[in-house]
């Protein structure tokens, strides 16, 4: 589900090989969405490890019957998004690019699954650069990987509230959960920031050959894709180092929790920012949107973020030793892309040595299951000392 590859998907693999790849992407995406949704609810207190019904801060509860509902809803949402995207892409491929019915249909299916599951695999060696100005290709794929990357609990919560509103004709009494508000706000801010970054830094650079409208479309796509999907409509090898650094940040943060996106997640980053703001202001409590964040959640966020930083730093150091022919920007970009399971590259993946590729593979695996496993294990631990040590304040800074 990462998108980094040492061979060209379209020319190296047969139709059967491509079918296997897309099947694995689909299985991985649905499985991860379902399992991490349940893990996320366990962690946030919606559901105990013993399947007990618990009350949440929003006043909702979850029974074992809801679990089946969630997984079924995951399946139908996946099918709906992928079929809608596949239909649009296939139609566009057949009408505007002269592909046969079977070629257009396969392109639609492949791209829709790859986008919704945030895999980043493409059927062209240059990813989506040939479609950089095609709004009927870029926008459907963008919406697909944004929805998949927000996090399924957030999407299903929004759908439930819209459904309730349509039935009753008025707003429901409960507002969106804190997770939903952080994820939606963070997604909007990061996409806007990414779009402005690419537009400002590459308007006369990697985007110089495009008309104004296409520049804006390409900037939007490259501002949204690094957080989750791994597609590119312009060549990253021709981008300014500052753009690569900004993209590194977007990739490392990633998307929403319990979705198909990678990274340390928006909620983790938002909680750490809120904790810093509280410390700057001298406040005792960390608050977001009028809600107090428990100290253990802040510590979990700090642990996940620090573990990610350490993993990336060590890997960058190792690859700098193993691959001295590549620049620090290229190595850092490749490592963060792997850890965040994004799949973007400056074009060096196939030229890495065997040892470096093994490190990249390990990073992809760690980035996919590491944050989830780490937070789940931290949340499951409830050991408390029956004593406390004397307090002493060391110098900080």
């Amino acid at each position: 589900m990462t998108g980094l590859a040492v061979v060209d998907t379209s020319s190296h693999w047969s139709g059967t090989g491509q079918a296997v790849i897309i099947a694995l992407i689909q299985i991985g995406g649905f499985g991860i969405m379902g399992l991490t949704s349940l893990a996320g609810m366990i962690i946030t207190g919606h559901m105990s490890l013993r399947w007990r019904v618990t009350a949440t801060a929003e006043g909702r509860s979850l029974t074992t019957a809801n679990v089946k509902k969630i997984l079924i809803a995951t399946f139908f949402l996946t099918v709906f998004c992928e079929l809608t995207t596949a239909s649009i892409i296939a139609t566009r491929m057949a009408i505007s690019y002269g592909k046969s019915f079977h070629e257009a249909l396969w392109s639609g299916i492949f791209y829709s699954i790859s986008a919704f599951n945030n895999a980043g695999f493409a059927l062209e060696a240059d990813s989506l650069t040939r479609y950089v100005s095609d709004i009927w290709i870029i926008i459907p794929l963008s919406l697909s990987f944004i929805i998949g990357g927000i996090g399924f609990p957030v999407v299903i919560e929004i759908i439930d509230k819209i459904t309730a509103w349509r039935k009753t004709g008025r707003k429901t009494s409960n507002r969106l959960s804190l997770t939903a508000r952080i994820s939606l706000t963070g997604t909007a801010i990061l996409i806007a920031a990414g779009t402005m970054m690419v537009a400002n830094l590459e308007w006369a650079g990697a985007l110089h050959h495009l008309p104004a409208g296409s520049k804006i479309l390409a900037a939007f796509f490259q501002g949204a894709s690094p957080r989750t999907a791994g597609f590119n409509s312009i060549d990253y090898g021709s981008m300014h180092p500052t753009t690569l650094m900004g993209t590194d940040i977007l990739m490392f943060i990633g998307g929403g929790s319990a979705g198909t996106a990678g990274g340390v997640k928006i909620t983790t980053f938002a909680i750490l920012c809120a904790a810093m703001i509280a410390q700057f202001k001298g406040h005792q409590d960390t608050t977001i949107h009028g809600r107090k964040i428990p100290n253990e959640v802040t510590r979990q966020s700090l642990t996940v973020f620090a573990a990610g930083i350490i993993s990336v730093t060590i890997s960058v150091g190792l690859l700098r030793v193993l691959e001295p022919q590549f620049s620090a920007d290229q190595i850092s970009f490749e490592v963060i892309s792997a850890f965040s399971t994004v799949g973007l590259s400056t074009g060096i993946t196939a030229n890495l040595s065997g040892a470096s590729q093994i490190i990249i593979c390990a990073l992809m695996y760690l980035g996919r299951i590491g944050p989830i496993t780490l937070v789940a294990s931290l949340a499951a631990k409830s050991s408390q000392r029956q004593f406390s040590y004397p307090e002493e304040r060391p110098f900080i800074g």
Side-chain angles (χ1 to χ4, degrees), residues 240-273:
H240 192 275
T242 306
T243 308
L244 296 180
M245 183 180 68
T247 303
D248 287 340
I249 297 173
L250 293 175
M251 291 192 295
F252 188 78
I253 296 173
S257 299
T260 58
V264 296
K265 303 298 187 295
I266 292 174
T267 47
T268 300
F269 183 71
I271 289 172
L272 291 182
C273 289

Coordinates of all heavy atoms in Angstrom, one line a residue, residues 240-273:
H240 N 12.1 22.2 -6.4 CA 13.1 22.9 -5.6 C 13.3 22.2 -4.3 O 12.3 21.6 -3.7 CB 12.5 24.3 -5.3 CG 13.6 25.2 -4.7 ND1 13.8 25.3 -3.4 CD2 14.4 26.2 -5.3 CE1 14.7 26.2 -3.1 NE2 15.1 26.7 -4.3
P241 N 14.5 22.2 -3.7 CA 14.7 21.5 -2.4 C 13.7 22.0 -1.3 O 13.4 21.2 -0.4 CB 16.1 21.9 -2.1 CG 16.8 22.1 -3.4 CD 15.7 22.7 -4.3
T242 N 13.3 23.2 -1.3 CA 12.4 23.7 -0.3 C 11.1 23.0 -0.4 O 10.4 22.7 0.6 CB 12.3 25.2 -0.4 OG1 13.5 25.8 -0.3 CG2 11.4 25.7 0.8
T243 N 10.6 22.8 -1.7 CA 9.4 22.1 -1.9 C 9.5 20.7 -1.4 O 8.5 20.2 -0.8 CB 9.1 22.1 -3.4 OG1 9.1 23.4 -4.0 CG2 7.7 21.5 -3.7
L244 N 10.6 20.0 -1.7 CA 10.8 18.7 -1.2 C 10.7 18.7 0.4 O 10.2 17.7 1.0 CB 12.1 18.1 -1.6 CG 12.3 17.9 -3.2 CD1 13.7 17.4 -3.5 CD2 11.2 17.0 -3.7
M245 N 11.3 19.6 1.0 CA 11.3 19.7 2.5 C 9.9 19.9 3.0 O 9.5 19.2 4.0 CB 12.2 20.8 3.0 CG 12.3 20.9 4.5 SD 13.4 22.2 5.1 CE 12.4 23.7 4.6
G246 N 9.1 20.8 2.4 CA 7.7 21.0 2.7 C 6.9 19.7 2.5 O 6.0 19.4 3.3
T247 N 7.2 19.0 1.4 CA 6.5 17.8 1.2 C 6.9 16.7 2.2 O 6.0 15.9 2.6 CB 6.9 17.3 -0.2 OG1 6.5 18.3 -1.2 CG2 6.1 16.0 -0.6
D248 N 8.1 16.7 2.7 CA 8.5 15.8 3.7 C 7.6 16.0 5.0 O 7.2 15.0 5.6 CB 10.0 16.1 4.1 CG 11.0 15.6 3.1 OD1 10.6 14.7 2.3 OD2 12.1 16.0 3.1
I249 N 7.4 17.2 5.3 CA 6.6 17.6 6.5 C 5.1 17.0 6.3 O 4.6 16.4 7.2 CB 6.6 19.1 6.8 CG1 8.0 19.5 7.1 CG2 5.6 19.4 7.9 CD1 8.1 21.0 7.2
L250 N 4.6 17.3 5.1 CA 3.2 16.8 4.8 C 3.1 15.3 4.9 O 2.2 14.7 5.4 CB 2.8 17.3 3.4 CG 2.6 18.8 3.3 CD1 2.2 19.1 1.8 CD2 1.5 19.3 4.2
M251 N 4.1 14.6 4.3 CA 4.1 13.2 4.4 C 4.3 12.6 5.8 O 3.6 11.7 6.2 CB 5.3 12.6 3.5 CG 5.1 12.8 2.0 SD 6.3 11.9 1.0 CE 7.8 12.6 1.5
F252 N 5.1 13.2 6.6 CA 5.3 12.8 7.9 C 4.1 12.9 8.8 O 3.8 12.0 9.6 CB 6.5 13.5 8.6 CG 6.9 12.9 9.9 CD1 7.7 11.8 10.0 CD2 6.5 13.5 11.1 CE1 8.1 11.2 11.2 CE2 6.9 13.0 12.3 CZ 7.7 11.8 12.4
I253 N 3.4 14.0 8.6 CA 2.1 14.2 9.4 C 1.1 13.2 8.9 O 0.4 12.6 9.7 CB 1.6 15.6 9.2 CG1 2.6 16.6 9.9 CG2 0.2 15.8 9.9 CD1 2.3 18.1 9.6
G254 N 0.9 13.1 7.6 CA 0.0 12.1 7.1 C -1.5 12.5 7.1 O -1.8 13.7 7.1
G255 N -2.4 11.5 7.3 CA -3.8 11.8 7.2 C -4.5 11.5 8.5 O -3.9 11.6 9.6
G256 N -5.8 11.1 8.4 CA -6.6 10.8 9.6 C -6.3 9.4 10.2 O -5.9 8.5 9.5
S257 N -6.7 9.3 11.4 CA -6.5 8.0 12.1 C -7.6 7.0 11.6 O -8.7 7.4 11.2 CB -6.7 8.2 13.6 OG -5.7 9.0 14.1
A258 N -7.2 5.7 11.6 CA -8.1 4.6 11.2 C -8.6 4.7 9.8 O -9.7 4.4 9.5 CB -9.3 4.5 12.2
G259 N -7.7 5.3 8.9 CA -8.0 5.3 7.5 C -7.0 4.6 6.7 O -6.2 3.8 7.3
T260 N -6.8 4.9 5.5 CA -5.9 4.3 4.6 C -4.6 5.1 4.5 O -3.7 4.7 3.8 CB -6.4 4.0 3.2 OG1 -6.9 5.3 2.7 CG2 -7.6 3.1 3.3
A261 N -4.5 6.3 5.1 CA -3.4 7.1 5.0 C -2.3 6.7 6.0 O -2.5 5.9 7.0 CB -3.7 8.6 5.3
G262 N -1.1 7.2 5.8 CA 0.0 6.8 6.7 C 0.4 8.1 7.5 O -0.4 8.9 7.8
G263 N 1.7 8.1 7.9 CA 2.2 9.2 8.8 C 1.9 9.0 10.2 O 1.3 8.0 10.6
V264 N 2.3 10.0 11.0 CA 2.0 9.9 12.5 C 0.5 10.3 12.8 O 0.1 10.2 13.9 CB 3.0 10.8 13.3 CG1 4.4 10.3 13.1 CG2 2.9 12.2 12.8
K265 N -0.2 10.8 11.8 CA -1.6 11.2 11.8 C -1.8 12.6 12.3 O -1.1 13.2 13.1 CB -2.4 10.2 12.7 CG -2.3 8.8 12.2 CD -2.8 8.6 10.8 CE -2.8 7.1 10.4 NZ -1.6 6.4 10.4
I266 N -2.9 13.2 11.8 CA -3.2 14.6 12.1 C -3.5 14.8 13.5 O -3.1 15.8 14.1 CB -4.5 15.0 11.2 CG1 -4.1 15.1 9.7 CG2 -5.0 16.4 11.7 CD1 -5.3 15.3 8.8
T267 N -4.3 13.9 14.2 CA -4.6 14.0 15.6 C -3.4 14.1 16.4 O -3.3 14.8 17.4 CB -5.6 12.9 16.0 OG1 -5.0 11.6 15.6 CG2 -6.9 13.0 15.4
T268 N -2.4 13.2 16.1 CA -1.2 13.2 16.9 C -0.5 14.6 16.8 O -0.1 15.1 17.9 CB -0.2 12.1 16.4 OG1 -0.8 10.9 16.5 CG2 1.1 12.1 17.1
F269 N -0.3 15.1 15.6 CA 0.3 16.4 15.4 C -0.5 17.5 16.1 O 0.1 18.4 16.7 CB 0.5 16.7 13.9 CG 1.2 17.9 13.6 CD1 2.6 18.0 13.8 CD2 0.5 19.0 13.1 CE1 3.2 19.2 13.5 CE2 1.2 20.2 12.8 CZ 2.6 20.3 13.0
A270 N -1.8 17.5 16.0 CA -2.7 18.5 16.6 C -2.6 18.5 18.1 O -2.5 19.6 18.7 CB -4.1 18.3 16.1
I271 N -2.5 17.4 18.7 CA -2.5 17.3 20.1 C -1.1 17.9 20.6 O -1.1 18.6 21.6 CB -2.7 15.9 20.6 CG1 -4.1 15.5 20.4 CG2 -2.3 15.7 22.1 CD1 -4.4 14.0 20.7
L272 N 0.0 17.5 19.9 CA 1.3 18.1 20.3 C 1.3 19.6 20.1 O 1.9 20.3 21.0 CB 2.4 17.4 19.5 CG 2.6 15.9 19.8 CD1 3.8 15.4 18.9 CD2 2.9 15.7 21.2
C273 N 0.7 20.1 19.1 CA 0.7 21.6 18.9 C -0.1 22.2 20.0 O 0.3 23.3 20.5 CB 0.1 21.9 17.5 SG 1.2 21.5 16.1

